[in-house]
Amino acid sequence: MIKAIIFDLGGVCFEIDWFKINDEMIKKFNITTLVKSAGNEKAIEYYKEALEGKRHPKDMFKELNKENHNLDEVIKFYKEMYKKYKKHNPKIYALIKKLKNKFVLVCLSDTNSIHFEAHQEQETVKDFHKVFTSFQIGSIKRDANTFKKVIDSLSITPEEALFIDDNEKNIETASSLCIQTIRYTRYKELVKELKSRKIIK
């Protein structure tokens, strides 16, 4: 019996246009935020460490900021662009509101502190009973310990949780712990799957 439903954020509750954010950052500061494709190994390492709460994402921006712009201004502008190019899925949020009367509704996101501040400012996570982030937990979703910490915090068994994510690797990690899973592709397919499991009518 399902007691808690765990939602991923990016790719399920909203989509981010990383390319448009990058364009704006290049235009204003000559900083590329597509660190993986830019091949900046140190920035990639700092980005990953920020996701796990091992360092502040400011360190990544410091590495990217070759022209010595004011770092606080760079981060403030980046956060505004992140909010501007985040497209929320209203159908998913309506579904969350519907489900929260029957289940413990949780979000679990691989995110850093800057992105999370943006989520709070836009009320992206306000409808969840509990919010878990990788930078606060200390590990990302590909690490089974992340799910163990969430399950323990909810005081349920893995079998009593349903995890919804668009990332196959995250789904595999959750499934390996006997957490029930749904790989998100489209809203229509998600509703169909929830109906087949008798979670909604």
Side-chain angles (χ1 to χ4, degrees):
M1 182 185 163
I2 298 293
K3 290 184 179 176
I5 301 177
I6 306 167
F7 276 83
D8 170 42
L9 290 179
V12 179
C13 295
F14 58 77
E15 295 290 344
I16 300 286
D17 193 328
W18 298 108
F19 294 102
K20 283 187 178 170
I21 295 171
N22 187 57
D23 289 345
E24 299 270 15
M25 290 294 289
I26 288 171
K27 219 181 290 176
K28 191 162 177 73
F29 298 111
N30 196 26
I31 289 174
T32 177
T33 48
L34 300 175
V35 289
K36 288 181 184 174
S37 54
N40 187 324
E41 293 302 321
K42 196 175 270 191
I44 292 167
E45 182 189 335
Y46 290 171
Y47 179 79
K48 287 177 180 173
E49 289 180 350
L51 283 182
E52 296 176 346
K54 292 174 183 170
R55 64 170 67 238
H56 193 278
K58 185 180 270 194
D59 294 335
M60 181 194 76
F61 283 103
K62 194 173 181 181
E63 172 62 27
L64 297 169
N65 186 22
K66 300 301 182 186
E67 295 180 6
N68 292 319
H69 297 286
N70 181 291
L71 204 54
D72 289 333
E73 283 180 23
V74 170
I75 291 169
K76 185 182 176 184
F77 181 78
Y78 172 79
K79 188 167 74 169
E80 289 310 308
M81 292 307 99
Y82 180 80
K83 283 153 64 172
K84 180 180 177 179
Y85 293 112
K86 182 204 286 185
K87 189 180 178 185
H88 291 95
N89 187 334
K91 289 181 179 177
I92 291 288
Y93 283 99
L95 178 64
I96 288 163
K97 283 178 182 174
K98 185 179 173 183
L99 291 168
K100 71 185 289 188
N101 298 321
K102 242 179 115 179
F103 304 94
V104 176
L105 262 286
V106 174
C107 71
L108 172 60
S109 179
D110 288 344
T111 195
N112 62 45
S113 57
I114 292 173
H115 293 164
F116 187 61
E117 281 173 19
H119 298 332
Q120 289 178 309
E121 287 165 16
Q122 290 184 303
E123 300 190 328
T124 300
V125 295
K126 74 177 176 67
D127 289 318
F128 293 100
H129 294 117
K130 288 192 176 250
V131 176
F132 297 94
T133 65
S134 59
F135 80 93
Q136 291 167 325
I137 289 173
S139 56
I140 60 173
K141 285 180 278 188
R142 292 192 186 187
D143 182 340
N145 286 319
T146 303
F147 288 98
K148 286 175 185 172
K149 287 173 186 174
V150 171
I151 295 299
D152 287 347
S153 177
L154 297 172
S155 300
I156 58 172
T157 65
E159 294 83 358
E160 290 172 329
L162 171 64
F163 174 57
I164 300 165
D165 197 306
D166 63 313
N167 185 293
E168 187 61 46
K169 294 284 185 188
N170 297 339
I171 290 289
E172 285 171 11
T173 305
S175 295
S176 72
L177 298 172
C178 298
I179 294 169
Q180 297 186 53
T181 60
I182 296 175
R183 168 93 186 274
Y184 180 82
T185 52
R186 292 184 306 159
Y187 175 77
K188 200 179 279 186
E189 294 303 317
L190 174 61
V191 168
K192 195 175 166 184
E193 188 64 38
L194 292 173
K195 282 180 177 176
S196 75
R197 299 183 190 215
K198 309 281 191 257
I199 290 166
I200 58 173
K201 290 180 182 177

